[in-house]
Amino acid sequence: MFHFFDTDHRQALSKDKQTHYNQSEGIQVIGAGLPRTGTLSLKTALTQLYSGKCYHGVDVFAGDQEDVDVWMKAARREMRPEDWREYFGKKSTYVAGVDFPFSLFYKDIMAAYPDAKVVLSTRDSSTWFHSVYNSVYQIDILMKDYPTIPLLLGMLDRRKPAAMEMFKIIGEIIPSGGEVCFREAMEGGPNVAERFFTDWEAEVRRSVPSDRLLVASAKEGWAPLCKFVGLPAPENDYPRVNDRASIKMLLWNLWIINGLVFYVLPPSIAVAGYVYRSEIALVVQTLGQTVLVWTDLIMDKLFKQ
């Protein structure tokens, strides 16, 4: 799945792998914002400010089996504070986390890291549905329209369960303070989605002490974030990544490869097999005769012993 990500996602992860980060003292910033609220921009910003890694949804796709299992365990409400500390303790250079699945469990992670600050990334609630629907939710639509795409993703992601299975399960979780799950919010249309969004933000504001919470949008730039975490603002502009065009590129790549693998390659092989059937038959016959000869030699050797 990672191979299909757009340039922004791949560059963010590649930079993480190539950069030497200092050992962290655990999670210091917890992103509690929903997807499509500038989470990848926030990830990039926090990475720069702290010189440490920031966990994001794309890390799940590029990770190992534990990066799926831990969120499946969280979905079953089986993660204790010490489990979170053990998990992120293994990822000793991570200082923050944003986006689903991380933000879905912000309360649990807050309990594990009581001194961590919480950032609620936000945007205009009336625009959130269309932003999600026309970007990341198109993956769900594509999988429904083309049943072979889940097969393709399963071929590429050999983990069991795989990342897409995990995201499907957490998409069915109704968050505290809400009335519907993420999937139902998208299927319900703009009004249901906006209610889901406002309920989510209201619950975050209610649950997080005001002195630990920052509510900010990417449009506000470095100032509120840097003031909140007590770090100087960098000279460069605030990061702006994960735009809609990048997500569409991911979808296009998925559609193209799926078509090639399941709709172009099989008939091409069948046609080639028919055209070169005599040559193939000769090769198969030769291989069969070779196998028989070696079998006879082995059996003779065994019976002579």
Side-chain angles (χ1 to χ4, degrees), residues 286-302:
T286 302
L287 287 174
Q289 291 174 346
T290 303
V291 170
L292 289 174
V293 170
W294 278 101
T295 301
D296 290 339
L297 291 173
I298 293 171
M299 294 301 292
D300 288 343
K301 187 175 181 179
L302 288 174

Side-chain angles (χ1 to χ4, degrees), residues 19-273:
T19 304
H20 174 73
Y21 295 110
N22 297 326
Q23 298 291 310
S24 76
E25 298 178 357
I27 299 298
Q28 299 178 48
V29 179
I30 298 170
L34 288 168
R36 299 301 297 165
T37 58
T39 54
L40 192 56
S41 296
L42 180 58
K43 166 188 168 72
T44 306
L46 291 171
T47 298
Q48 181 176 349
L49 289 175
Y50 283 92
S51 296
K53 293 183 179 180
C54 178
Y55 201 91
H56 185 276
V58 295
D59 289 78
V60 177
F61 289 105
D64 55 25
Q65 185 65 59
E66 187 178 21
D67 289 300
V68 175
D69 293 343
V70 70
W71 302 110
M72 296 288 282
K73 187 176 179 181
R76 297 192 298 267
R77 315 304 302 177
E78 296 175 357
M79 287 291 287
R80 302 165 299 173
E82 54 267 35
D83 296 325
W84 289 113
R85 289 191 291 269
E86 179 183 357
Y87 173 63
F88 286 109
K90 296 176 184 177
K91 301 177 179 295
S92 57
T93 56
Y94 279 81
V95 296
V98 297
D99 200 77
F100 274 14
F102 188 97
S103 60
L104 184 61
F105 302 100
Y106 73 91
K107 290 184 181 180
D108 297 336
I109 300 173
M110 281 177 60
Y113 297 96
D115 296 327
K117 297 179 181 293
V118 179
V119 177
L120 174 61
S121 52
T122 188
R123 65 179 297 155
D124 183 349
S125 61
S126 64
T127 66
W128 181 71
F129 168 78
H130 292 291
S131 178
V132 175
Y133 187 87
N134 292 323
S135 57
V136 292
Y137 191 67
Q138 289 297 311
I139 297 176
D140 292 69
I141 295 176
L142 201 63
M143 292 175 67
K144 292 176 182 177
D145 291 344
Y146 296 93
T148 52
I149 285 185
L151 296 176
L152 175 65
L153 296 178
M155 291 165 57
L156 297 172
D157 188 349
R158 299 300 183 90
R159 295 173 292 183
K160 299 297 180 184
M164 289 305 300
E165 296 175 66
M166 181 274 294
F167 275 104
K168 182 178 180 180
I169 288 174
I170 67 169
E172 301 289 334
I173 296 175
I174 299 176
S176 57
E179 298 178 353
V180 296
C181 64
F182 182 83
R183 176 187 58 77
E184 291 170 329
M186 290 297 101
E187 292 179 350
N191 292 335
V192 176
E194 186 170 358
R195 177 64 182 273
F196 176 87
F197 184 94
T198 55
D199 285 348
W200 173 279
E201 292 207 338
E203 181 65 15
V204 173
R205 294 171 187 267
R206 185 191 69 79
S207 304
V208 182
S210 58
D211 61 333
R212 292 181 64 185
L213 178 65
L214 169 69
V215 181
S217 71
K219 294 179 180 179
E220 297 176 76
W222 288 112
L225 178 62
C226 292
K227 181 180 179 181
F228 179 63
V229 299
L231 293 172
E235 295 182 359
N236 58 285
D237 292 336
Y238 186 84
R240 186 172 180 80
V241 291
N242 195 24
D243 61 353
R244 190 175 299 174
S246 298
I247 300 295
K248 286 185 177 180
M249 181 59 68
L250 181 153
L251 295 167
W252 173 254
N253 290 339
L254 266 178
W255 185 81
I256 289 294
I257 300 301
N258 178 70
L260 290 173
V261 171
F262 291 103
Y263 299 97
V264 176
L265 190 59
S268 298
I269 293 174
V271 170

